[in-house]
Amino acid sequence: MAERPPNDASRIASVATSLFAHAAAKGGQEGLDREKVNNIIFELSGSSSYTKEKLEHRGDAEKWVAAARRKLETFDGTKRSVAAHHLKKREAALEATRRAMDAAGTVCCVVDFDMFYAAVELRDRPELKDKPVAVGGPGMITTANYVARKWGVRSAMPGFIGQELCRRGPEFGMPRAELVFVRPDFEKYTAVSKVARAIFAEYDPHLACYSLDEAYLDLTLYLRARAAAGSHGEATKLLATPRPRKRKRGAGFGEPDDDDDDEAEADGVGDDEAPDGDDEAAAPAVALPPLDLRDDAAGRLADAVLAEIRARVRAATGGLTLSGGLGPNFRLAKVAADVRKPDGQHRVACGRPGVLAFLRTLPCRKVGGVGRVLEQKLEDGLGVRTCGELLDRLPEVHALFAPKGRDFLQDVALGVGAAGGPEDDDDEDGLPKGLGNERTFRPVSGLGPLLAKLEAIAAIVAARLETRGMRAARATLKLKTSAFHVTTRDARAPEGGPTRERYVQSAASLVALLAPLLRDEVAKADERGAPLELRLMGVRTSDFEVKVAPRAPGQRNLEDAFAPARPPSPKYRPPGGADVDAAVLAELPPDIAGQPGADGPRRRRVAAVAATAGAAGEARGRAAEPGDAVHRGLLLQAARAAAAARPPGPAAGRRGRRGRVSRWASAARARVAALAACRGDVERAVARLLGDAPG
DNA sequence: GGGGGAAGGATTC
DNA sequence: TCACGGAATCCTTCCCCC
C-alpha cells in the first residue's frame, strides 16, 4: 500500500477486489462482508512482491482486453455473419451428438466430498466442530471448514492471512477467533477415499477419479438396470460382466519380441474362439432399453440413486457428506455438483432447452476450464459474465479467440461435453508427459548456492526417474525470483547437447544439461546489475524414451508386453497398414469380426478403435475395484497401453503425420501382444461398445 | 504462410 | 516461520526456416 501513487488508488482497489475475491462464490461465504474482508486481505498482502507480480500479470490481461476492444470496433455485419456461419456449422454437429447421447439415456454424475480434508479431521476431532479450522499450515491452507469460511478463510489462502482474518473478525461483524491449523494426513484421506470409491464402483465400474475427493460416474447403464430390476442388488448383477472364459493358453502374455508370434497367436485366437462365439460377452444391462429422460420418473430415479450413493458413503465414512450433480454430460454434472453444496445435489435436465435454461444465468466462471484470466477477458472484453450472455456473443468470441479457445467457449455456452467422459480426449499415448520437482525456499543468490539447489532438486527428479525406469530427452529449468517472476529454460539431451547422451536419467546428467542455463541466467542478471535471487527452483523432464519398468529377475509383467521389442526405426515395419488392422481384428470376438462388412477397411478401423477404447475403459474400471494391489496396477497399465494404441487423430502430437502413424503402429502392435492378458475384458468391452454405440 | 520448436501462460486439484 | 504450494498438462505467442 505504501508507495502507491494516490491517483492509482481506485484502480488498485478494484484490481485487488478481483485479485483476492476470485473465490467469492464459494459455498459457505454467503452474507460475508466481502469488501471489508478483501480490504484486510489487501492490507496484509498489498505491498508484497507477490501482489506486485500479480498486478503486472493483470496488466497483460488488460492489454488483451484493449486489443480485443479495438478489434471489435471493426467487427461489422459481414464479419459477424461469416463467424455466425462457422458457428452454426459446428453447432449442428454438437447438437447431433447431444441428441444421440440423450437418446441413449446418458446420465453423468459427479460426486464431491464437502471440504474433504477438513471434514475428515473434524470427524476425528469432534471438539473442533464449531471452531474455524484450516488443514494446512501458516504457509498455505489446503482446506478450510465452513465455520472458517464465515471469516473469509478459503483454500489456497496463505495461513497467516486466514489467521489474521479470524482475529480481526469484529471489523466485519464476526467475533474474534483463533484459526486452528491441522497438519494434513494424506494417508488417512486416501483410506477414506478408497472406502467411497468401492461404493461408487458398484454403480459404475468404470468410474474416474481425478483427486481424492471427487469421482465421475457414468450412471447410464446402472439406471437402465435399476429401472428394470428394481433393487440395487439385482441391478448390480445386470451390470456385472460375466467371468472371463477359460483360455487354453496359460499365462496369456504375447511375445512382443517376435512379430510372427503376434500374428500366429492372433490367428489362433480367432480359431479357438469360434466354438464359444455364442457366449454373452457384454453386461446384460447393455441389452436393456435406454432410459427415457424426458419421462419425469426417470429423472426421479436418477435423483434417488444419487441420494442413495451419498447416504451410503456418508454411513460408510463416519458421517462425511458429499455433494452431487447429475447431467447429460460430465461438464454439466460437475457444475451441478456445485449448485447445492454442501450436502446437496442437483440435476440438470437433459435436452437443449433445459440445458440452456440452466446455463442462462450461470456465471461462466462456474464452468471447469474457465479460470480467473478467461473470466476477466470475457467480462472486460465482451461484457460477458454468464453462459447465456456468452451464447449471445459467440460471433464476437469467434473473432477474438484462437480456434481451440472459441470451440471450448462454444461448448460451454451450449452446455455440451465430451461423450465418454472428461478424460476422453487425453491419454494420447498413456504415458506421463512430464515429471519434475520444484521447491520453494528462502531467497538464495550467488552461483554456488544456486548450483547446490539445482543439484539437490536434480537428485530428487533423478531418483523418481530411476524408480520408474524412465529416461528423458529434455529437461526444463524453472526459476522464480524473489519478486515472484517466473521463467523457464530448457535443454535437449540429444547429440550436440552438453551430455552427449540421447536420453538422461541420472542427477549428474540433469545437472550437466541444466547448469549452463542457470549460469547463463546468473550472468545475465549480473550484467543488468540486479543479481539473480531465487525463491523457487524446479527441474522438469519430458520427451521420455519408451518406458521400461525395473522388475525382479524372472518376473513378467504387462509392461513387457508394452515395450517395443527394439528401438523404433522406420525399417522396423511398414507404418500402419493392413497387418496391424488384421491383427487387431483377429483379436475381436468372432461374432463381431464375422459381421457383414467387418472386413472393409473402414469398418476394421472402427472395430479397432472400439477395441482399443473398450480395453482402456474396461481395464481402468477393473483397476478401480477393490482387490490385490499388484493386480490393480497391472490393469491400470493395460488401460494405459490400450489408450496408447489409439490411432492418430487430427489433433495428435506435434510430430509429422508419418511419426504419428508409426507410433500408432508400434503401439498397436504392443497392445495386440498385451491383449492376450486381458482378453476376456476386451471382448466384453467391445461387444458392449458396439452394441451400445448410439447412432 | 505454415510447420515446428521454445518460452511461458493458464488451469486444475 | 513476518509469511502466498506443487505437479502436470494444455494452450498461445513468438520466431525461424522453408
Side-chain angles (χ1 to χ4, degrees):
Chain A
M1 290 198 65
E3 318 98 346
R4 247 185 306 127
N7 59 345
D8 245 12
S10 70
R11 177 182 162 266
I12 299 249
S14 87
V15 164
T17 302
S18 62
L19 201 58
F20 299 116
H22 53 273
K26 262 273 190 263
Q29 300 199 347
E30 298 79 16
L32 182 65
D33 186 347
R34 179 138 294 284
E35 194 180 331
K36 197 82 192 141
V37 168
N38 286 339
N39 284 342
I40 294 176
I41 295 174
F42 186 53
E43 190 185 314
L44 288 169
S45 57
S47 61
S48 70
S49 304
Y50 173 83
T51 306
K52 279 182 190 143
E53 178 65 25
K54 284 280 175 230
L55 287 171
E56 295 265 315
H57 244 305
R58 176 117 187 153
D60 295 346
E62 281 170 354
K63 273 182 212 150
W64 186 97
V65 167
R69 286 184 175 160
R70 280 197 302 277
K71 216 169 188 176
L72 286 182
E73 281 168 16
T74 65
F75 192 69
D76 54 20
T78 318
K79 288 180 181 165
R80 197 186 164 91
S81 64
V82 169
H85 174 71
H86 285 114
L87 287 163
K88 208 158 187 182
K89 230 169 93 183
R90 187 164 180 274
E91 181 175 334
L94 295 174
E95 290 299 343
T97 305
R98 187 197 324 252
R99 282 193 300 273
M101 287 173 70
D102 287 348
T106 307
V107 176
C108 296
C109 172
V110 172
V111 275
D112 192 350
F113 278 102
D114 302 317
M115 51 165 194
F116 185 47
Y117 300 164
V120 175
E121 297 301 339
L122 287 176
R123 178 195 69 179
D124 298 345
R125 296 175 62 181
E127 75 275 10
L128 295 178
K129 210 133 230 163
D130 301 319
K131 296 182 174 160
V133 174
V135 178
M140 187 57 70
I141 294 169
T142 62
T143 324
N145 68 350
Y146 282 88
V147 179
R149 291 179 196 188
K150 289 185 186 161
W151 274 268
V153 179
R154 307 183 308 252
S155 8
M157 173 183 273
F160 73 95
I161 289 182
Q163 178 66 277
E164 197 63 15
L165 283 173
C166 289
R167 289 182 180 160
R168 292 173 61 174
E171 294 178 34
F172 48 93
M174 293 293 297
R176 187 194 147 90
E178 281 293 302
L179 185 60
V180 181
F181 286 102
V182 180
R183 290 276 161 202
D185 177 352
F186 289 98
E187 275 181 31
K188 196 157 75 174
Y189 311 145
T190 307
V192 173
S193 185
K194 241 181 195 166
V195 170
R197 285 178 190 182
I199 293 173
F200 297 148
E202 292 180 26
Y203 297 83
D204 176 13
H206 309 138
L207 83 171
C209 303
Y210 301 102
S211 63
L212 290 178
D213 74 328
E214 63 169 11
Y216 287 69
L217 279 62
D218 183 345
L219 294 180
T220 309
L221 280 186
Y222 177 84
L223 289 173
R224 280 186 206 181
R226 182 75 178 252
S231 75
H232 175 66
E234 291 302 312
T236 51
K237 280 183 205 160
L238 290 173
L239 203 61
T241 49
R243 289 290 93 205
R245 279 168 267 168
K246 286 270 183 285
R247 301 287 322 151
K248 284 184 191 166
R249 202 174 306 106
F253 284 103
E255 189 51 68
D257 289 7
D258 189 336
D259 297 350
D260 295 332
D261 201 49
D262 281 2
E263 309 281 355
E265 182 177 64
D267 290 346
V269 169
D271 297 339
D272 288 357
E273 289 301 326
D276 308 325
D278 295 336
D279 281 13
E280 177 54 71
V286 173
L288 297 171
L291 224 55
D292 181 359
L293 291 168
R294 289 163 305 183
D295 179 0
D296 201 39
R300 283 200 304 270
L301 175 64
D303 290 338
V305 165
L306 174 53
E308 172 185 300
I309 293 173
R310 292 174 46 232
R312 288 185 61 195
V313 171
R314 183 179 188 152
T317 57
L320 300 186
T321 61
L322 335 143
S323 298
L326 294 165
N329 57 55
F330 281 113
R331 191 194 303 284
L332 290 171
K334 172 77 178 151
V335 174
D338 214 43
V339 169
R340 299 275 163 80
K341 221 168 200 337
D343 197 18
Q345 64 182 64
H346 182 77
R347 172 164 50 90
V348 179
C350 81
R352 179 181 161 110
V355 169
L356 293 189
F358 172 73
L359 291 177
R360 204 166 49 82
T361 57
L362 185 81
C364 301
R365 183 60 203 271
K366 291 274 190 181
V367 180
V370 181
R372 196 194 311 165
V373 174
L374 186 50
E375 177 190 39
Q376 191 204 342
K377 286 179 177 177
L378 290 174
E379 189 154 358
D380 296 354
L382 285 162
V384 162
R385 209 184 58 82
T386 67
C387 295
E389 291 161 358
L390 181 62
L391 186 62
D392 294 337
R393 306 296 300 281
L394 281 179
E396 284 86 349
V397 165
H398 196 270
L400 295 180
F401 288 86
K404 301 237 177 175
R406 56 202 190 205
D407 286 356
F408 168 73
L409 288 169
Q410 189 180 19
D411 291 353
V412 169
L414 291 170
V416 297
E423 99 279 34
D424 225 31
D425 39 19
D426 70 5
D427 253 357
E428 186 207 322
D429 60 11
L431 295 173
K433 297 187 169 65
L435 184 154
N437 184 269
E438 59 187 70
R439 287 298 159 95
T440 295
F441 37 76
R442 283 186 212 290
V444 168
S445 58
L447 185 58
L450 287 174
L451 282 173
K453 287 284 180 203
L454 173 60
E455 281 163 17
I457 296 167
I460 295 169
V461 176
R464 290 182 57 197
L465 286 174
E466 275 161 31
T467 58
R468 281 150 218 247
M470 293 163 73
R471 302 198 304 156
R474 187 171 159 199
T476 306
L477 180 68
K478 176 175 174 178
L479 308 173
K480 190 193 272 181
T481 68
S482 47
F484 290 87
H485 184 74
V486 178
T487 169
T488 60
R489 297 279 180 264
D490 71 357
R492 304 203 129 258
E495 52 279 341
T499 62
R500 313 178 100 199
E501 301 167 80
R502 178 127 176 69
Y503 294 99
V504 295
Q505 182 185 61
S506 70
S509 29
L510 284 172
V511 170
L513 216 48
L514 296 176
L517 303 180
L518 180 57
R519 286 204 183 88
D520 216 43
E521 291 302 310
V522 170
K524 274 196 284 186
D526 284 343
E527 273 171 39
R528 284 195 301 267
L532 192 65
E533 189 183 63
L534 299 182
R535 77 184 322 278
L536 171 146
M537 193 185 292
V539 171
R540 170 153 291 273
T541 55
S542 54
D543 289 12
F544 297 118
E545 174 193 43
V546 174
K547 181 176 150 190
V548 183
R551 59 171 192 274
Q555 176 194 341
R556 301 227 49 178
N557 64 25
L558 284 182
E559 294 203 356
D560 292 319
F562 306 148
R566 16 197 135 133
S569 100
K571 281 179 286 179
Y572 181 39
R573 186 171 253 237
D579 52 348
V580 171
D581 283 349
V584 170
L585 196 64
E587 290 289 324
L588 297 179
D591 50 332
I592 292 167
Q595 275 172 15
D599 53 347
R602 225 171 96 211
R603 188 67 176 238
R604 284 178 170 204
R605 183 50 71 100
V606 168
V609 173
T612 300
E618 188 74 23
R620 188 176 288 139
R622 292 277 302 272
E625 289 170 13
D628 170 46
V630 174
H631 185 230
R632 284 202 308 270
L634 290 179
L635 285 167
L636 209 56
Q637 301 280 5
R640 289 189 177 144
R646 286 186 188 187
R654 284 197 170 123
R655 300 165 196 232
R657 168 103 193 126
R658 224 174 58 210
R660 291 204 302 269
V661 170
S662 69
R663 218 153 53 113
W664 139 244
S666 72
R669 283 194 58 263
R671 188 186 63 80
V672 167
L675 285 184
C678 48
R679 187 180 318 280
D681 295 341
V682 173
E683 286 166 3
R684 289 194 304 280
V686 168
R688 189 170 61 213
L689 269 159
L690 293 189
D692 201 28

